[in-house]
Amino acid sequence: MSIVKINVLTVPDEQRDVLEKRFGARAGAVDSADGFEWFELLRPVEGTDQYLVYTRWRDEESFQAWMEGPMKAAHQSGGAAEGGERPKPAATGSTVWSFEVVQQAGPKKEG
């Protein structure tokens, strides 16, 4: 069964647009990774400053391969323009939660 990784990002109000634009600029960056199954960026709507970055993977090995390869390379460059400074992080904190999918369901198909 699949695994889920949720990166919990603490984002001050004034940095929300910055975070969302950065994720938008990288749209599709994970889509072709081997073992990748799903991505969602979840914006808080009440009582918290924490965004959730939800990804689902075929297995832990697929996630680790992406972390050590494409994700690491993207974060090392930091999105800096050539010769420019690396931009300040939009989040002030980050925690990763890990889960195994033990049950799942989708909408029933009429037919």
Side-chain angles (χ1 to χ4, degrees):
M1 222 3 115
S2 302
I3 64 152
V4 169
K5 300 291 183 173
I6 299 174
N7 192 357
V8 183
L9 300 174
T10 303
V11 182
D13 283 345
E14 65 275 8
Q15 290 293 96
R16 286 179 164 209
D17 281 347
V18 172
L19 179 87
E20 292 180 22
K21 286 177 182 171
R22 287 181 185 169
F23 270 92
R26 292 192 313 228
V30 69
D31 300 11
S32 61
D34 183 47
F36 169 78
E37 296 177 353
W38 198 259
F39 162 85
E40 291 177 321
L41 175 62
L42 306 176
R43 176 193 302 136
V45 294
E46 55 190 31
T48 185
D49 58 357
Q50 295 181 315
Y51 276 72
L52 301 181
V53 182
Y54 173 101
T55 57
R56 189 173 69 208
W57 299 85
R58 177 181 57 229
D59 50 35
E60 181 68 24
E61 293 76 20
S62 298
F63 172 73
Q64 290 300 329
W66 176 73
M67 286 286 291
E68 290 303 314
M71 196 284 297
K72 189 174 186 177
H75 280 79
Q76 283 177 341
S77 71
E82 197 168 319
E85 284 190 30
R86 185 176 181 166
K88 176 185 167 198
T92 59
S94 173
T95 302
V96 176
W97 298 340
S98 299
F99 299 88
E100 291 179 330
V101 176
V102 293
Q103 292 184 19
Q104 63 185 18
K108 294 188 186 257
K109 296 186 181 181
E110 295 183 38

